[in-house]
Amino acid sequence: MKISVLQFKPVIGEIEKNFDTAGKMIEYAKNSDVLILPELWSTGYYPTPVNNFADVNGENTTKFICEMAKKFGVNIIAGSVIAEIEGKFFNRCIVSKRNGEIIALYDKAHLFSFADEEKIFSAGKNFVTFELDGVKCGIIICYDLRFPEFIRKIALNNIEVLFCSAAWSLQRLQPRQILTKARAIENQIFVVFANSAGKSEIVNPAGETIAESGTGEQILTAEIDLNERKKIIAKMNLLADRNKFTDIL
């Protein structure tokens, strides 16, 4: 599976300009199997008041992503956008298959209180998995990465790749690098981290970095070998060895 991270720092509040940037990057990376955008790529992180910038029911984003996916025949994980749903605001990811069919919606579950997200957004209440080209995947958004119990629940649904869209400050780079590798190792999955601020990363199930970006606008592309994961699990199957007694603790 060939994956491309579309890394760019969106201009705060400049929705049309950010859509244009995303469209150009999608076209450039169209030969990959899966494209992933960063967190709040259409608005930046994040303009206020959000009701002036929200995508009602995610309609504009959905239309754009579906058109791009269908035009270029590529799977798109549309990072996240500010979506207004029945008067509430969510940090929402929209996923489209190659044919333009929406197959997953995920609302950020863990809101970053340091940036007052809980005062603006409603938290999602579900984890989400989906299949792209027969590969089972999961999606999280930024701060979710710090909650291993949440990601373990996703991993227990037999995902092979976990995608994470983020707007993660480079001031907290080292913890993020540790967390990305830890989530990959403990769940024996690939982790794809797409960050608007830079230093995006693709990590294999052994916790090794396959590819890492710089800090500027960049398309980070890498091929992941799913057989590599099978070989690692064949030697040491962590989820199979897990004592389910711990679920009730």
Side-chain angles (χ1 to χ4, degrees), residues 91 102 195 241:
N91 190 334
I102 298 300
N195 195 29
D241 289 344

Side-chain angles (χ1 to χ4, degrees), residues 8-246:
F8 72 98
K9 192 169 185 178
V11 181
I12 294 289
E14 297 290 335
I15 294 175
E16 186 174 339
K17 183 174 183 178
N18 295 329
F19 266 79
D20 184 62
T21 298
K24 290 176 180 176
M25 295 183 84
I26 288 170
E27 182 173 10
Y28 190 87
K30 62 186 178 183
N31 292 326
S32 292
D33 298 306
V34 183
L35 310 182
I36 178 170
L37 287 156
E39 180 182 21
L40 299 185
W41 60 269
S42 65
T43 58
Y45 183 91
Y46 53 87
T48 56
V50 295
N51 53 293
N52 291 341
F53 302 92
D55 187 355
V56 178
N57 296 320
E59 290 178 0
N60 291 334
T61 306
T62 299
K63 180 181 178 182
F64 171 75
I65 292 303
C66 289
E67 287 177 353
M68 291 289 102
K70 192 172 182 179
K71 180 178 181 180
F72 298 116
V74 64
N75 300 297
I76 301 177
I77 299 173
S80 74
V81 298
I82 301 171
E84 182 179 357
I85 313 296
E86 297 180 349
K88 294 183 179 181
F89 300 98
F90 294 88
N91 190 334
R92 171 167 288 190
C93 177
I94 301 170
V95 181
S96 174
K97 291 172 62 175
R98 297 177 186 269
N99 63 0
E101 176 190 355
I102 298 300
I103 58 168
L105 300 174
Y106 169 68
D107 296 323
K108 188 175 184 178
H110 298 92
L111 301 178
F112 190 41
S113 60
F114 186 79
D116 293 329
E117 284 186 5
E118 81 286 359
K119 297 177 182 178
I120 303 294
F121 298 100
S122 295
K125 297 181 179 179
N126 298 293
F127 64 82
V128 172
T129 63
F130 50 90
E131 284 193 10
L132 295 175
D133 298 343
V135 178
K136 194 160 187 181
C137 307
I139 178 69
I140 60 172
I141 299 172
C142 203
Y143 196 40
D144 288 329
L145 186 66
R146 289 185 179 268
F147 297 87
E149 69 281 4
F150 180 65
I151 295 173
R152 173 53 56 87
K153 287 183 178 180
I154 301 173
L156 288 173
N157 281 266
N158 299 316
I159 67 167
E160 297 179 83
V161 186
L162 178 70
F163 291 93
C164 179
S165 292
W168 196 293
S169 170
L170 293 179
Q171 293 178 352
R172 294 181 287 276
L173 175 60
Q174 186 178 35
R176 195 281 298 161
Q177 291 172 324
I178 293 170
L179 290 165
T180 307
K181 292 175 175 60
R183 299 296 88 89
I185 293 167
E186 67 197 8
N187 295 296
Q188 297 183 305
I189 54 177
F190 289 91
V191 176
V192 179
F193 182 84
N195 195 29
S196 62
K199 303 301 285 185
S200 297
E201 188 176 24
I202 300 175
V203 179
N204 72 12
E208 300 164 340
T209 299
I210 298 172
E212 184 178 47
S213 74
T215 58
E217 183 174 305
Q218 181 180 346
I219 296 175
L220 177 69
T221 300
E223 189 94 30
I224 65 171
D225 182 359
L226 297 169
N227 287 321
E228 181 181 5
R229 177 175 178 267
K230 293 178 181 178
K231 292 176 183 178
I232 290 171
I233 292 174
K235 292 179 180 178
M236 183 189 299
N237 192 329
L238 298 182
L239 296 188
D241 289 344
R242 187 178 61 91
N243 189 332
K244 296 180 178 59
F245 161 75
T246 59

